[in-house]
Amino acid sequence: MTDAAALLIIDCQRDFCPGGALAVTGGHEIMPLIHDLQSRFAHVILTQDWHPADHSSFASQHKGLAAFQTVAMDYGLQVLWPDHCVQGSRGAEFHEGLDTTRAELILRKGYARGVDSYSAFFENDKRTRTGLEGYLRERGIGTLYLCGLATDYCVAFSALDARKLGFETHVVMDACRAIDLNGSLAAQMQAMRQAGVGLINCGEILRR
Ligand code: VGL
Ligand code: ZN
């Protein structure tokens, strides 16, 4: 892969893998694939979902509401999740199958109590920036390959924002796993295709 491309590995944390608080089916299965992908990239960036214990996206903070229901926040509709990826907890650690040694940047997100952050570029208010765009531009990175968890939430929102910001963007679908809540996977795949995100598989990178 050219020096202008980065592998952006989204939220490969214990809580999103089987046994975790917000387990994604087969989440652990992608770790060996991501290991192989990393060897093809000059730049590797990780994101880490990183919530305070009383984060407003947790169902436990909303009396009478349960996980996977939605609630109206001042920034729009928010899905409520089981408590997950609490700062400093074991569940927030990277999965043991993820090699983190080559990461140039570990970007934490979702640390502000009152707003969730699916995207690695913007919080869910669609306005507050994480700084990732500036980091990539300053380093001359114009092309992104995304993988990780979960396809239809943090991966898709990051890919869609990357396209909006003008990055050439690809999602390595077989190196992702989805939550798939009420058809969210099909909807997000359609949205990504429409936005010009390339949906590819590992083979297209590893065979090169
Ligand atoms: C995620 C839901 C809540 C994700 C993070 O990484 O896709 N999904 N927090
Ligand atoms: Zn989260």
Side-chain angles (χ1 to χ4, degrees), residues 52-110:
D54 60 350
H55 195 252
S56 59
S57 77
F58 294 171
S60 60
Q61 299 297 307
H62 301 264
K63 218 172 172 233
L65 294 179
F68 308 109
Q69 293 185 312
T70 51
V71 69
M73 303 288 238
D74 51 13
Y75 57 81
L77 274 188
Q78 170 69 47
V79 178
L80 296 177
W81 304 106
D83 294 16
H84 66 279
C85 297
V86 171
Q87 296 169 357
S89 70
R90 187 168 158 78
E93 291 172 6
F94 290 111
H95 187 270
E96 67 267 22
L98 181 75
D99 182 2
T100 64
T101 53
R102 288 199 49 235
E104 296 176 354
L105 173 70
I106 298 177
L107 182 95
R108 288 174 169 167
K109 59 183 183 60

Side-chain angles (χ1 to χ4, degrees), residues 86-152:
V86 171
Q87 296 169 357
S89 70
R90 187 168 158 78
E93 291 172 6
F94 290 111
H95 187 270
E96 67 267 22
L98 181 75
D99 182 2
T100 64
T101 53
R102 288 199 49 235
E104 296 176 354
L105 173 70
I106 298 177
L107 182 95
R108 288 174 169 167
K109 59 183 183 60
Y111 44 72
R113 185 193 174 268
V115 57
D116 206 358
S117 189
Y118 295 147
S119 164
F121 292 95
F122 292 94
E123 294 185 342
N124 286 10
D125 64 5
K126 305 275 179 209
R127 291 204 328 257
T128 310
R129 293 169 177 268
T130 63
L132 181 58
E133 181 194 6
Y135 177 87
L136 295 170
R137 294 218 192 283
E138 285 195 22
R139 308 209 51 241
I141 296 168
T143 301
L144 295 175
Y145 288 79
L146 287 86
C147 59
L149 304 170
T151 325
D152 44 344

Side-chain angles (χ1 to χ4, degrees), residues 16 49 51 84 116:
F16 296 122
D49 210 37
H51 300 307
H84 66 279
D116 206 358

Side-chain angles (χ1 to χ4, degrees), residues 159-160 163 190-197:
L160 290 166
R163 275 304 302 143
Q190 170 75 359
M192 288 192 283
R193 280 199 191 96
Q194 244 161 37
V197 175

